[in-house]
């Protein structure tokens, strides 16, 4: 198996099983980090 | 795990789906193992397309015992009636099933794509015929472009859209907001892809993930935030 696929699947399921929306602080953190990205993937 | 309704289809899908590209170029044994693991975790949405190389052939035997319990989605890059019909027929044969639950126009990128799909003898005619014949249950499309997606949604009442929705592009450029808004207005099922995408690959840099053409987030902490960001949107699944 391509390394990481099974672990990735388990990881994604665990995040989803324990899903809770982002807090205001977490959203702020992502906003700051996104401002530092030079070339986001989209738009292409 | 939470289930969410898929637009107006009446279907309820787990919020994590299985992209068939995962089994591309894998051995049958490995494909069977990862599909089995997905089923074990309760995943009930599987998506595949002929453009994922041998993924249909790899997915089919692994999925066979569970076919009636899963929602199977497939896609075509064909834009003509004849081409789409031929590809659907081949996909059904490779997947050894009498129908797919969702059939999608794959990678609708330009206005020219949209025009071809809806032209006389265009692929939409094949989709509508296939739906009448119960070869497909729902009609959707996938896209990476906002303008083409908005045009598609103006042209037809689609059941679903499969679209890249991630924190990096959404927060940096607003990419995806218009799509979610429009799809919500139309009560479509929104299937998110590329939730972990972060930035374009840098030229000349080593590509770490064989099946990814972009640079994803690099830490579990950021990946967790990324996944939860996309799940916080009104997407039905990713």
């Amino acid at each position: 198996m391509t390394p990481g696929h099974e672990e990735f699947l388990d990881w994604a399921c665990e995040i989803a099983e324990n899903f809770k929306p982002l807090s205001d602080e977490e959203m702020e953190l992502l906003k700051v980090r996104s401002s530092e990205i030079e070339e986001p993937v989209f738009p292409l | 795990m939470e289930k969410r309704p898929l637009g107006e289809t009446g279907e309820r899908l787990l919020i994590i789906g299985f992209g068939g590209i995962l089994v591309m170029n894998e051995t049958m044994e490995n494909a069977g193992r990862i599909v089995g693991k997905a089923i074990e975790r309760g995943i009930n949405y599987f998506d595949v397309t002929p453009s994922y190389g041998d993924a249909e052939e790899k997915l089919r035997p692994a999925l066979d015992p569970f076919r009636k319990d899963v929602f199977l989605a497939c896609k075509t890059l064909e834009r003509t009636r004849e081409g789409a019909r031929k590809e659907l027929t081949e996909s059904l044969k490779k997947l050894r099933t009498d129908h797919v639950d969702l059939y999608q126009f794959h990678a609708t990128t330009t206005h020219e794509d949209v025009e071809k799909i809806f032209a006389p003898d265009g692929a939409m005619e094949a989709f509508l015929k296939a739906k009448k014949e119960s070869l497909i249950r729902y009609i959707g499309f996938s896209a990476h472009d906002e303008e083409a997606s908005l045009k598609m949604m103006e042209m037809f009442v689609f059941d679903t859209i499969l679209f890249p929705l991630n924190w990096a592009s959404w927060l940096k450029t607003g990419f995806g907001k218009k799509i979610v808004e429009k799809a919500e207005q139309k009560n479509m099922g929104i299937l998110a892809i590329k939730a972990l995408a972060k930035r374009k690959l840098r030229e000349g840099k080593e590509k770490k993930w064989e099946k990814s053409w972009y640079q994803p987030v690099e830490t579990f902490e950021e990946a967790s935030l990324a996944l939860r960001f996309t799940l916080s949107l009104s997407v039905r699944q990713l």
Side-chain angles (χ1 to χ4, degrees):
Chain A
M1 196 71 209
T2 301
H5 278 177
E6 289 186 71
E7 293 80 358
F8 176 73
L9 181 65
D10 275 332
W11 168 82
C13 287
E14 274 156 36
I15 298 288
E17 278 165 10
N18 300 299
F19 170 67
K20 54 180 180 184
L22 293 177
S23 66
D24 291 345
E25 292 76 18
E26 288 169 323
M27 187 62 86
E28 277 309 310
L29 179 63
L30 285 185
K31 281 181 188 167
V32 170
R33 289 188 190 178
S34 72
S35 69
E36 294 162 356
I37 299 171
E38 288 177 15
E39 286 190 293
V41 183
F42 303 102
L44 292 174
Chain B
M1 203 189 301
E2 181 186 346
K3 284 185 179 175
R4 294 182 187 174
L6 186 69
E8 292 184 332
T9 64
E11 304 286 341
R12 291 181 67 82
L13 303 178
L14 251 70
I15 52 177
I16 294 289
F18 187 101
I21 200 167
L22 276 182
V23 296
M24 181 178 80
N25 299 335
E26 301 294 345
T27 64
M28 287 291 189
E29 184 189 350
N30 285 341
R33 197 165 69 235
I34 195 161
V35 169
K37 185 182 268 276
I39 295 278
E40 201 177 290
R41 299 300 297 241
I43 288 175
N44 59 352
Y45 173 94
F46 289 79
D47 180 284
V48 72
T49 170
S51 57
Y52 295 162
D54 63 359
E56 289 173 309
E57 288 96 328
K58 295 289 166 59
L59 193 61
R60 192 267 305 160
L63 212 49
D64 249 359
F66 314 104
R67 174 64 189 96
K68 66 176 176 23
D69 303 316
V70 302
F71 187 93
L72 182 59
C74 193
K75 314 190 272 275
T76 181
L77 285 168
E78 295 291 335
R79 301 295 185 239
T80 65
R81 180 180 63 189
E82 192 181 345
R85 178 69 184 199
K86 186 168 177 281
E87 192 152 87
L88 172 62
T89 304
E90 284 167 6
S91 287
L92 292 172
K93 194 174 169 188
K94 284 182 189 166
L95 293 164
R96 210 178 290 172
T97 183
D98 60 359
H99 74 281
V100 291
D101 298 287
L102 172 65
Y103 203 47
Q104 303 153 100
F105 299 99
H106 189 25
T108 40
T109 308
T110 62
H111 276 223
E112 195 186 355
D113 279 328
V114 182
E115 282 165 15
K116 282 182 183 171
I117 286 166
F118 287 97
D121 295 328
M124 179 53 92
E125 292 182 7
F127 275 54
L128 293 172
K129 184 168 186 281
K131 189 171 180 185
K132 273 189 188 163
E133 295 168 338
S134 301
L135 300 178
I136 66 178
R137 295 174 62 212
Y138 306 112
I139 296 176
F141 69 95
S142 76
H144 291 80
D145 181 85
E146 286 189 320
E147 295 310 311
S149 300
L150 292 170
K151 183 80 180 159
M152 285 290 275
M153 288 191 272
E154 280 171 20
M155 299 288 288
F156 186 75
V157 183
F158 285 98
D159 296 301
T160 64
I161 177 172
L162 183 73
F163 197 82
L165 295 169
N166 60 75
W167 66 282
S169 297
W170 179 288
L171 295 174
K172 178 83 177 182
T173 70
F175 184 82
K177 289 182 183 176
K178 283 189 279 189
I179 299 306
V180 170
E181 191 182 317
K182 186 81 169 175
E184 279 178 340
Q185 281 170 11
K186 291 179 166 284
N187 204 17
M188 291 167 64
I190 305 173
L191 301 158
I193 48 174
K194 301 178 174 63
L196 303 187
K198 185 169 182 180
R199 61 170 169 78
K200 292 181 170 76
L201 282 177
R202 292 187 182 126
E203 217 168 296
K205 291 280 180 185
E206 193 185 354
K207 193 175 155 186
K208 188 176 175 187
W209 304 98
E210 186 199 339
K211 295 174 185 173
S212 176
W213 51 265
Y214 52 82
Q215 178 64 49
V217 292
E218 288 169 86
T219 66
F220 276 110
E221 179 259 354
E222 199 161 81
S224 170
L225 291 171
L227 193 54
R228 288 173 53 219
F229 174 87
T230 300
L231 285 172
S232 298
L233 303 175
S234 61
V235 302
R236 306 303 181 248
Q237 188 182 62
L238 43 89

